[in-house]
């Protein structure tokens, strides 16, 4: 049989670093997939590679032809703000069989594609791994059947495959979060928040079913975020007497005065004998046993819809960039990687191991080995589950400490409001009550403590009960009040108040002012023995500028509010086809908010205090804008955004930059400026800020209680008795305040010395094709 003629690109003379990289989305759609596609396409082109998109997932890979399209830079314009997947996804039975994979291999070779980035769930990535395993045999078969000559397939002996996990269920092992999971959680929490209002009004109970056949992440996180009364997840089903257990907890809540009841049920929920637990089962119990007016709400596919939240846009972009780097650094012996995130760090892990461990979780559930199933989820999942159990139940005798170990723990908010402050306080109160401690709210910060502690009839120092704090899970602002004032304004009275109200531990929630306050209290221990108590700060500020952590509660809420604002302005700018908006962001002297928002909205330039602004920089950006608008030729999604941090320059203000751009544009395009201001503080806290507030709050109280029973001098000499909780080096840890103050703090600029996100600014410039400043 004569060899069939194909138009195979000649890659034999191409340098080894040259790649032709294809990206595809597969399985169920997830918000953020478009961000991954955009990042892979543009980073591939920026790194000198040819970029392709495979439309309709594995179905397009098998069908070939127009389903495999070479992508240009402008083809992915505006992808970040779109939901679903713009290149499509479809199930493909043909690919599950070898003939289908053989056809897929043939299609790739015809296009000269030698690397494949796949964004999908565990099923999609399992198919990818099978494809790579079969690849040598497929190449041999294509030669044996004379589809290609041996010389033609020589450049394709090894197929580089990189996995990106796109799944709203967050069901892949080895990663803390999958692309789309936080956007889905956002939809769920928004729905539950709305339902809460009507439930409270009518004293009703609601049973809410969420997605998650084999993984209870969505159900668990929704429960933590919304303060649900009970949660059903596949990995850790309730005991045999779950009906009475649930009714007892909810009954106690009602007796305490709670007007509403929320139960979250994962679609894969079952009991310990694997008998399915349905929302109907739960409703009947609540209606018949507790006589509650109960409704069922099944959220369904609304959980998949809508645009990606800030975190998923950032995650998909960073992982897409990392995927291209993984392709370019791969060797024939490199195992196929999956790009993961562990706390705040993007990492590569073996794809085969991640898929295997994911399947082992399902197998453990089927074998009723629930402890094993929980242990195979990441540590974060287990911590959240424990935190939920501790903070949801009001009466847990087994958790009570002996009387001599119980403490009076002060809780204080310091600085500007930030989303998640109340969730952290609610978690701290619930933990205190579960352990036998007394939670004491110090209202309105240190000034409130000093000036109003003995007011009548109600002073600023008040014990907090469970019912008072129970509704704080989803409220914004600060329910106990916050203030920028520092203890140094009246250290004597602060000390006297600590003594008078017997404060034996202090939990501070706030930003750089809270950090400064804790520093002052630590240094004052030599004069005031009242401060020789364990004290922990939970960083909470939209600026994310607290030393000792890479994440501050409230920063995610801020970013979501800001990208919503930016998306609206981009729509306006795109409608005119020739407009750029210069948007001023908050953040103080740190450019975190501007940078991450720029990454999430595809800004053409970002100005930060760390880099500053010069006239030559503006001039170069104006020229870049000229070129961009000239090449747009009236295309859709052509609006441009520039983000400027409020303190990036004293001279080049947001308005001045917009005016300079307008003047230099010579009528070819126009420039407007916008200042969202305090809109960036957000309203309802984001789910990420809520769940992390709970996790950090519980861990902070656990740290404080380790000092119970110790003398004041023992406490004062322990560096960890004043600590900051945060994410550092891909894990949650406590850092001693003195060390962070002396080694990690830029006091002049009120920010950390080492800002982890600075390296991401280059990615923004690369993905917007912004020239490097000379």
């Amino acid at each position: 049989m004569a060899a069939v003629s194909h138009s195979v690109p000649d890659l034999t003379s191409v340098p080894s670093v040259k790649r032709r990289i294809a990206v595809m989305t597969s399985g169920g759609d997830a918000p953020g997939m478009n961000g991954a596609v955009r990042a892979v396409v543009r980073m591939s082109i920026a790194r000198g590679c040819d970029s392709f998109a495979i439309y309709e997932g594995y179905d397009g890979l098998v069908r070939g032809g127009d389903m495999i399209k070479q992508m240009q830079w402008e083809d992915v314009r505006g992808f970040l703000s779109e939901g679903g997947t713009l290149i499509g996804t479809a199930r493909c039975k043909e690919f599950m069989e070898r003939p289908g994979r053989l056809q897929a291999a043939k299609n790739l070779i015809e296009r000269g594609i030698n690397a494949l980035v796949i964004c999908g769930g565990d099923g999609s990535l399992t198919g990818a791994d099978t494809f790579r395993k079969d690849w040598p045999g497929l190449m041999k078969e294509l030669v044996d059947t004379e589809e290609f000559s041996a010389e033609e397939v020589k450049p394709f002996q090894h197929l580089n495959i990189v996995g990106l996990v796109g799944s709203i269920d967050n069901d892949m092992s080895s990663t803390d979060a999958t692309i789309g999971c936080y956007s889905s959680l956002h939809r769920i929490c928004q729905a539950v928040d709305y339902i809460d209002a009507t439930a409270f009004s009518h004293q009703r109970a609601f049973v809410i079913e969420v997605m998650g056949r084999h993984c209870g992440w969505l159900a668990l996180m929704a429960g933590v975020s919304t303060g649900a009364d009970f949660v059903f997840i596949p990995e850790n089903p309730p005991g045999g007497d779950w009906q009475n257990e649930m009714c007892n907890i909810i009954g106690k809540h009602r007796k305490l005065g709670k007007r509403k009841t929320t139960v979250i049920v994962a679609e894969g929920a079952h009991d310990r004998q694997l008998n399915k637990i349905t929302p109907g089962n739960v409703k009947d119990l609540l209606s018949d046993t507790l006589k509650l007016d109960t409704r069922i709400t099944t959220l369904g596919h609304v959980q998949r819809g809508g645009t990606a939240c800030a975190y998923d846009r950032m995650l998909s972009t960073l992982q897409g960039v990392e995927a291209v780097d993984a392709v370019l650094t791969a060797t024939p012996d490199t195992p196929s990687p999956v790009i993961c995130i562990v706390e705040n760090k993007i990492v590569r892990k073996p794809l085969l191991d991640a898929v295997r461990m994911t399947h082992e979780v399902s197998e453990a559930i089927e074998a009723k080995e629930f402890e094993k199933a929980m242990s195979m989820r990441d540590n974060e999942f287990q911590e959240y589950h424990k935190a939920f159990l501790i903070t949801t139940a009001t009466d847990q005798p087994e958790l009570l400490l002996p009387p001599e170990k119980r403490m009076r723990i002060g809780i204080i908010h310091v600085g500007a409001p930030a989303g998640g402050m109340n969730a952290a306080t609610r978690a701290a109160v619930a933990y205190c009550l579960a352990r036998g401690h007394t939670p004491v709210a110090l209202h309105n910060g240190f000034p409130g403590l000093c000036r109003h502690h003995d007011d009548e009839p109600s002073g600023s120092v008040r014990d907090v009960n469970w019912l008072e704090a129970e509704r704080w899970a989803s409220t914004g602002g600060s329910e106990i009040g916050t203030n920028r004032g520092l203890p140094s304004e009246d250290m004597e009275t602060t000390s006297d108040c600590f003594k008078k109200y017997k404060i034996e531990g202090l939990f501070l929630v706030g930003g750089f002012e809270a950090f400064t306050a804790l520093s002052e209290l630590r240094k004052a221990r030599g004069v005031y023995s009242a401060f020789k108590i364990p004290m922990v700060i939970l960083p909470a500020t939209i600026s994310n500028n607290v030393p000792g952590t890479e994440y501050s509660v409230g920063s995610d809420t801020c970013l979501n509010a800001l990208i919503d604002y930016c998306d609206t302005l981009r729509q306006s700018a795109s409608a005119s086809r020739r407009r750029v908006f210069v948007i001023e962001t908050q953040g103080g002297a740190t450019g975190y908010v501007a940078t991450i928002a720029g990454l999430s909205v595809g800004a053409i330039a970002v100005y930060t205090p760390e880099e500053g602004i010069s006239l030559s920089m503006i001039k170069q950006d104006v020229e870049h804008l000229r070129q961009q608008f000239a090449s747009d030729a009236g295309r859709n999604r052509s609006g441009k955004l520039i983000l400027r941090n409020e303190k990036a320059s004293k001279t080049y203000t947001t308005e001045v930059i917009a005016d300079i751009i307008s003047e230099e544009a010579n009528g070819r395009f126009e420039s407007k400026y916008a200042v969202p201001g305090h809109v960036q503080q957000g309203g309802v806290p984001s789910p990420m800020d809520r769940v992390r507030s709970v996790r950090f709050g519980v861990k902070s109280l656990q740290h404080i209680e380790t000092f119970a029973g110790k003398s004041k001098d023992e406490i004062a000499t322990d560096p960890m008795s004043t600590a900051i909780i945060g994410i550092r080096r891909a894990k949650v840890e406590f850092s001693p305040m003195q060390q962070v103050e002396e080694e990690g703090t830029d006091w002049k600029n009120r920010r950390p010395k080492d800002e982890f996100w600075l390296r991401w600014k280059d990615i923004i410039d690369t993905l917007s094709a912004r020239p490097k400043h000379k």
Side-chain angles (χ1 to χ4, degrees), residues 489-503:
E489 295 173 12
D490 194 346
M491 197 69 81
E492 187 80 34
T493 304
T494 302
S495 173
D496 290 343
C497 288
F498 275 40
K499 289 178 181 177
K500 180 177 179 178
Y501 297 102
K502 297 182 175 60
I503 303 301

mmCIF file of all heavy atoms in Angstrom, residues 489-503:
data_model
loop_
_atom_site.group_PDB
_atom_site.id
_atom_site.type_symbol
_atom_site.label_atom_id
_atom_site.label_comp_id
_atom_site.label_asym_id
_atom_site.label_seq_id
_atom_site.Cartn_x
_atom_site.Cartn_y
_atom_site.Cartn_z
ATOM 1 N N GLU A 489 -1.773 55.200 72.661
ATOM 2 C CA GLU A 489 -2.470 56.455 72.931
ATOM 3 C C GLU A 489 -2.867 56.564 74.395
ATOM 4 O O GLU A 489 -3.024 57.665 74.920
ATOM 5 C CB GLU A 489 -3.705 56.564 72.028
ATOM 6 C CG GLU A 489 -3.358 56.664 70.542
ATOM 7 C CD GLU A 489 -4.593 56.588 69.654
ATOM 8 O OE1 GLU A 489 -5.722 56.687 70.192
ATOM 9 O OE2 GLU A 489 -4.435 56.430 68.427
ATOM 10 N N ASP A 490 -3.026 55.432 75.066
ATOM 11 C CA ASP A 490 -3.308 55.417 76.507
ATOM 12 C C ASP A 490 -2.959 54.038 77.051
ATOM 13 O O ASP A 490 -3.839 53.235 77.386
ATOM 14 C CB ASP A 490 -4.779 55.748 76.771
ATOM 15 C CG ASP A 490 -5.047 56.075 78.243
ATOM 16 O OD1 ASP A 490 -4.170 55.783 79.079
ATOM 17 O OD2 ASP A 490 -6.135 56.586 78.535
ATOM 18 N N MET A 491 -1.670 53.765 77.131
ATOM 19 C CA MET A 491 -1.219 52.441 77.545
ATOM 20 C C MET A 491 -1.614 52.121 78.992
ATOM 21 O O MET A 491 -1.933 50.975 79.321
ATOM 22 C CB MET A 491 0.296 52.337 77.378
ATOM 23 C CG MET A 491 0.823 50.924 77.387
ATOM 24 S SD MET A 491 0.350 49.966 75.920
ATOM 25 C CE MET A 491 1.554 50.529 74.724
ATOM 26 N N GLU A 492 -1.616 53.134 79.828
ATOM 27 C CA GLU A 492 -1.958 52.936 81.239
ATOM 28 C C GLU A 492 -3.384 52.428 81.386
ATOM 29 O O GLU A 492 -3.651 51.436 82.074
ATOM 30 C CB GLU A 492 -1.804 54.255 81.995
ATOM 31 C CG GLU A 492 -1.975 54.134 83.505
ATOM 32 C CD GLU A 492 -0.719 53.612 84.190
ATOM 33 O OE1 GLU A 492 0.392 53.921 83.736
ATOM 34 O OE2 GLU A 492 -0.876 52.862 85.178
ATOM 35 N N THR A 493 -4.327 53.095 80.707
ATOM 36 C CA THR A 493 -5.729 52.678 80.801
ATOM 37 C C THR A 493 -5.945 51.318 80.149
ATOM 38 O O THR A 493 -6.735 50.496 80.633
ATOM 39 C CB THR A 493 -6.643 53.728 80.145
ATOM 40 O OG1 THR A 493 -6.416 54.995 80.741
ATOM 41 C CG2 THR A 493 -8.103 53.349 80.307
ATOM 42 N N THR A 494 -5.252 51.079 79.050
ATOM 43 C CA THR A 494 -5.345 49.768 78.399
ATOM 44 C C THR A 494 -4.936 48.672 79.371
ATOM 45 O O THR A 494 -5.627 47.646 79.511
ATOM 46 C CB THR A 494 -4.453 49.708 77.148
ATOM 47 O OG1 THR A 494 -4.836 50.738 76.231
ATOM 48 C CG2 THR A 494 -4.578 48.361 76.456
ATOM 49 N N SER A 495 -3.839 48.870 80.067
ATOM 50 C CA SER A 495 -3.367 47.892 81.050
ATOM 51 C C SER A 495 -4.369 47.719 82.180
ATOM 52 O O SER A 495 -4.684 46.592 82.592
ATOM 53 C CB SER A 495 -2.013 48.332 81.613
ATOM 54 O OG SER A 495 -1.608 47.506 82.677
ATOM 55 N N ASP A 496 -4.903 48.840 82.673
ATOM 56 C CA ASP A 496 -5.878 48.771 83.766
ATOM 57 C C ASP A 496 -7.120 47.989 83.342
ATOM 58 O O ASP A 496 -7.683 47.215 84.138
ATOM 59 C CB ASP A 496 -6.286 50.189 84.188
ATOM 60 C CG ASP A 496 -5.157 50.926 84.897
ATOM 61 O OD1 ASP A 496 -4.197 50.258 85.337
ATOM 62 O OD2 ASP A 496 -5.224 52.165 85.000
ATOM 63 N N CYS A 497 -7.553 48.189 82.099
ATOM 64 C CA CYS A 497 -8.728 47.464 81.602
ATOM 65 C C CYS A 497 -8.460 45.966 81.506
ATOM 66 O O CYS A 497 -9.322 45.144 81.834
ATOM 67 C CB CYS A 497 -9.163 48.010 80.252
ATOM 68 S SG CYS A 497 -9.938 49.630 80.313
ATOM 69 N N PHE A 498 -7.272 45.605 81.054
ATOM 70 C CA PHE A 498 -6.918 44.187 80.971
ATOM 71 C C PHE A 498 -6.979 43.553 82.358
ATOM 72 O O PHE A 498 -7.454 42.420 82.518
ATOM 73 C CB PHE A 498 -5.522 44.017 80.369
ATOM 74 C CG PHE A 498 -5.492 44.003 78.862
ATOM 75 C CD1 PHE A 498 -6.292 44.860 78.125
ATOM 76 C CD2 PHE A 498 -4.662 43.136 78.166
ATOM 77 C CE1 PHE A 498 -6.275 44.851 76.728
ATOM 78 C CE2 PHE A 498 -4.629 43.116 76.772
ATOM 79 C CZ PHE A 498 -5.441 43.978 76.063
ATOM 80 N N LYS A 499 -6.498 44.306 83.363
ATOM 81 C CA LYS A 499 -6.532 43.782 84.732
ATOM 82 C C LYS A 499 -7.963 43.719 85.262
ATOM 83 O O LYS A 499 -8.387 42.710 85.818
ATOM 84 C CB LYS A 499 -5.687 44.671 85.647
ATOM 85 C CG LYS A 499 -4.179 44.583 85.423
ATOM 86 C CD LYS A 499 -3.460 45.540 86.365
ATOM 87 C CE LYS A 499 -1.958 45.508 86.151
ATOM 88 N NZ LYS A 499 -1.259 46.506 87.016
ATOM 89 N N LYS A 500 -8.696 44.791 85.077
ATOM 90 C CA LYS A 500 -10.041 44.892 85.633
ATOM 91 C C LYS A 500 -10.955 43.796 85.098
ATOM 92 O O LYS A 500 -11.743 43.206 85.853
ATOM 93 C CB LYS A 500 -10.623 46.272 85.309
ATOM 94 C CG LYS A 500 -12.042 46.479 85.841
ATOM 95 C CD LYS A 500 -12.534 47.895 85.561
ATOM 96 C CE LYS A 500 -13.958 48.088 86.079
ATOM 97 N NZ LYS A 500 -14.445 49.473 85.862
ATOM 98 N N TYR A 501 -10.829 43.517 83.810
ATOM 99 C CA TYR A 501 -11.738 42.549 83.192
ATOM 100 C C TYR A 501 -11.099 41.171 83.031
ATOM 101 O O TYR A 501 -11.629 40.309 82.331
ATOM 102 C CB TYR A 501 -12.235 43.090 81.848
ATOM 103 C CG TYR A 501 -13.037 44.367 82.018
ATOM 104 C CD1 TYR A 501 -12.474 45.607 81.753
ATOM 105 C CD2 TYR A 501 -14.341 44.326 82.509
ATOM 106 C CE1 TYR A 501 -13.195 46.780 81.933
ATOM 107 C CE2 TYR A 501 -15.074 45.490 82.697
ATOM 108 C CZ TYR A 501 -14.490 46.714 82.411
ATOM 109 O OH TYR A 501 -15.206 47.872 82.602
ATOM 110 N N LYS A 502 -9.932 41.019 83.690
ATOM 111 C CA LYS A 502 -9.272 39.702 83.761
ATOM 112 C C LYS A 502 -9.053 39.080 82.379
ATOM 113 O O LYS A 502 -9.375 37.912 82.147
ATOM 114 C CB LYS A 502 -10.065 38.749 84.647
ATOM 115 C CG LYS A 502 -10.178 39.197 86.105
ATOM 116 C CD LYS A 502 -10.942 38.176 86.939
ATOM 117 C CE LYS A 502 -10.951 38.547 88.407
ATOM 118 N NZ LYS A 502 -11.584 39.864 88.677
ATOM 119 N N ILE A 503 -8.516 39.855 81.458
ATOM 120 C CA ILE A 503 -8.209 39.349 80.108
ATOM 121 C C ILE A 503 -6.960 38.481 80.190
ATOM 122 O O ILE A 503 -5.876 38.949 80.552
ATOM 123 C CB ILE A 503 -8.001 40.517 79.116
ATOM 124 C CG1 ILE A 503 -9.234 41.427 79.084
ATOM 125 C CG2 ILE A 503 -7.694 39.969 77.729
ATOM 126 C CD1 ILE A 503 -10.518 40.744 78.678
#
